[in-house]
Amino acid sequence: MDSIVNQSFYTSLTTMTPKTILFADDDPDLLRILVAKCKAISPNIEVVYARNAMAALTTTNVLRPDMVCMDVNMPRGNGMAVCEMIATHADLQSIPLIVLTGQQDEAIKERCRKISAHYIAKSGSIWPQIESIIRDNLDLTSGEPVAESEDAPIVEEEEFSVEDFLDALELKADADADFGDQTQPTLDQQPSVLIIDDDPAWGDVLRRRLEGKGIQVRHALEGLQGFREAVQSDVQAIILDYEMHDVHGDYVLGRLKDNPLTKEIPVIVVTGHVNNALKRKVLNIGAAGFLNKPCTWDQLWGELQRRTLVCA
């Protein structure tokens, strides 16, 4: 079983009685932001996290947190369905629930209303809304705000600065204004394409072909890595494999289209499945193009020319 809760949390159970908040989201950078923000409210807040729907349900059942904040679109299940299970469970139904979603979905709003969950759309700055709900629902003891501790339960290997990600990962609608030092690509700059595919050989072939056309190439070998790369990088197009080791391409595509920073990037989905239903599915999610493997270079290049601006 994946290690969901940092060991320091279990240690703290014997020394203090903090208010515990479970954040369920597969975006590690957003989780880091939320940990830091919660610690700034009160030193008596402990944050635990889950990165898929099943882990979120298990963690809630075992730890009985004081609040749950759940993303709708996650691996291994639907966050909204998990919240409904929590809300109808005799021992868990008193836990305040926050539902996060990147889509303005009236059906999700109605489901939240039925279980008295707080609905927050991932557009604009989400933290003030989350903070207000935390303060209204949790009886926090007085204490000076503290900075994020070194043992905060976000166990990514990379070192991230909270300030570096505030604008991007709080998903502000006016992101362009916040990134004033970043300019749109000019004619003398190379366009950039992101390949998200777990096949290194296929990625290497595409890299050589694209670089031969004067295009910069980034390659992510996992779906979630590719999503993070798209958020942090300035790319003009994405070539996305459907079947990968960690998540399927439709999940990554959904995340890309939910995020204001990446929703306008054209995505071409490539898959070995000859399936018209799958094609309709990814096009409905927002894919700009769809190709079956094995596809020829001419086919892929043609799609890039028709669907993207990298060849403009």
Side-chain angles (χ1 to χ4, degrees):
M1 178 181 294
D2 293 335
S3 177
I4 302 167
V5 183
N6 188 277
Q7 185 62 41
S8 63
F9 171 71
Y10 288 112
T11 302
S12 71
L13 289 178
T14 62
T15 59
M16 62 184 298
T17 55
K19 295 296 183 180
T20 306
I21 303 175
L22 168 65
F23 285 104
D25 199 297
D26 65 324
D27 185 338
D29 298 325
L30 180 58
L31 288 172
R32 180 174 291 278
I33 294 293
L34 295 175
V35 168
K37 291 288 193 178
C38 285
K39 286 295 186 180
I41 295 178
S42 169
N44 286 345
I45 292 180
E46 283 286 351
V47 178
V48 294
Y49 68 92
R51 290 195 178 130
N52 65 66
M54 290 302 298
L57 183 59
T58 301
T59 305
T60 302
N61 190 45
V62 172
L63 296 183
R64 309 295 168 91
D66 298 286
M67 179 173 287
V68 172
C69 183
M70 183 90 61
D71 187 23
V72 170
N73 191 14
M74 287 195 299
R76 300 187 64 191
N78 179 275
M80 186 69 244
V82 172
C83 286
E84 289 169 335
M85 294 176 70
I86 294 171
T88 55
H89 191 288
D91 296 329
L92 305 177
Q93 60 186 0
S94 63
I95 298 174
L97 300 172
I98 301 174
V99 174
L100 300 177
T101 177
Q103 298 178 336
Q104 295 288 345
D105 191 324
E106 293 301 321
I108 294 295
K109 288 183 181 179
E110 178 61 19
R111 290 168 72 181
C112 287
R113 187 191 64 78
K114 288 181 177 179
I115 62 172
S116 299
H118 301 274
Y119 171 96
I120 297 180
K122 286 185 175 179
S123 59
S125 184
I126 65 174
W127 172 249
Q129 300 175 72
I130 295 176
E131 180 182 14
S132 176
I133 295 169
I134 291 174
R135 292 186 182 278
D136 289 345
N137 286 272
L138 300 186
D139 181 18
L140 301 172
T141 58
S142 61
E144 293 298 321
V146 297
E148 179 183 5
S149 62
E150 293 182 357
D151 62 350
I154 305 299
V155 291
E156 296 299 304
E157 294 180 358
E158 301 93 339
E159 289 294 324
F160 295 109
S161 164
V162 169
E163 295 302 321
D164 288 342
F165 289 99
L166 278 177
D167 290 336
L169 295 170
E170 287 189 353
L171 307 177
K172 295 183 179 178
D174 56 346
D176 290 341
D178 291 329
F179 291 100
D181 59 335
Q182 298 183 6
T183 58
Q184 294 298 317
T186 59
L187 293 176
D188 60 344
Q189 292 177 320
Q190 287 181 295
S192 179
V193 170
L194 170 63
I195 301 167
I196 307 177
D197 196 303
D198 60 1
D199 185 341
W202 167 252
D204 188 54
V205 169
L206 291 184
R207 177 187 295 276
R208 292 199 303 270
R209 288 282 197 167
L210 290 167
E211 289 178 346
K213 296 286 188 179
I215 297 171
Q216 293 181 343
V217 178
R218 299 174 181 273
H219 185 195
L221 292 170
E222 294 183 345
L224 296 181
Q225 176 194 358
F227 171 71
R228 291 178 57 195
E229 186 78 18
V231 170
Q232 299 173 29
S233 305
D234 183 14
V235 297
Q236 284 73 59
I238 296 172
I239 300 170
L240 173 64
D241 186 27
Y242 183 79
E243 282 208 344
M244 288 176 287
H245 295 308
D246 57 340
V247 293
H248 280 174
D250 56 347
Y251 173 75
V252 179
L253 179 63
R255 298 293 291 189
L256 291 168
K257 295 306 171 183
D258 284 349
N259 192 320
L261 298 177
T262 56
K263 67 180 181 180
E264 300 300 332
I265 302 173
V267 180
I268 297 173
V269 175
V270 184
T271 177
H273 292 282
V274 182
N275 188 324
N276 287 331
L278 177 59
K279 179 178 180 179
R280 289 193 297 270
K281 178 180 180 180
V282 297
L283 292 177
N284 286 336
I285 295 173
F290 180 91
L291 288 173
N292 287 116
K293 287 182 180 179
C295 60
T296 66
W297 164 248
D298 288 341
Q299 288 175 314
L300 181 57
W301 181 242
E303 281 293 285
L304 286 171
Q305 289 179 307
R306 286 189 295 271
R307 313 293 184 186
T308 77
L309 297 177
V310 297
C311 312

